[in-house]
Amino acid sequence: GPDLVHGPRTWRVSLEARSVKITTCSATVFAAYSYAPLRRGRGLPPPSTQGAGGFRTSPPVLARRNVTANLPKGFAAHSLVASREALRSAFEEALHVEIW
């Protein structure tokens, strides 16, 4: 029926940060992101100040200059309840992953 097409559904979204290659100098690094659409709950209302949408690989790894380093524990899965239209609109925002 129309509720299945336009109503809220549970969506499973997964992201994985696998590796990093530093080209300037060696460093001990981790990857992190905080993505507003993943912090939102039922129906994707405005984000909370601290929510489940933040993520960080752990532990930090030594990334040698010009060598690809694998990031440990880089997988995260998120469950969202929203309509298809609300989810599509929320994911128009770019995801920014920072390397620290």
Side-chain angles (χ1 to χ4, degrees):
D3 289 340
L4 291 176
V5 176
H6 299 291
R9 294 180 173 184
T10 299
W11 302 88
R12 185 86 165 159
V13 178
S14 61
L15 300 168
E16 185 170 13
R18 291 185 172 199
S19 62
V20 63
K21 184 175 182 179
I22 307 283
T23 58
T24 55
C25 63
S26 295
T28 300
V29 300
F30 62 88
Y33 65 81
S34 180
Y35 191 46
L38 300 179
R39 292 195 312 263
R40 297 174 185 177
R42 186 171 288 277
L44 299 176
S48 61
T49 54
Q50 281 293 104
F55 178 79
R56 172 184 163 166
T57 59
S58 178
V61 295
L62 175 61
R64 289 188 166 75
R65 184 176 179 257
N66 290 325
V67 176
T68 301
N70 293 324
L71 296 168
K73 299 180 185 170
F75 179 83
H78 306 271
S79 293
L80 307 169
V81 177
S83 68
R84 181 185 310 257
E85 294 79 18
L87 191 68
R88 183 176 291 140
S89 176
F91 283 163
E92 288 179 0
E93 179 181 334
L95 169 66
H96 299 277
V97 178
E98 297 179 333
I99 304 299
W100 292 83

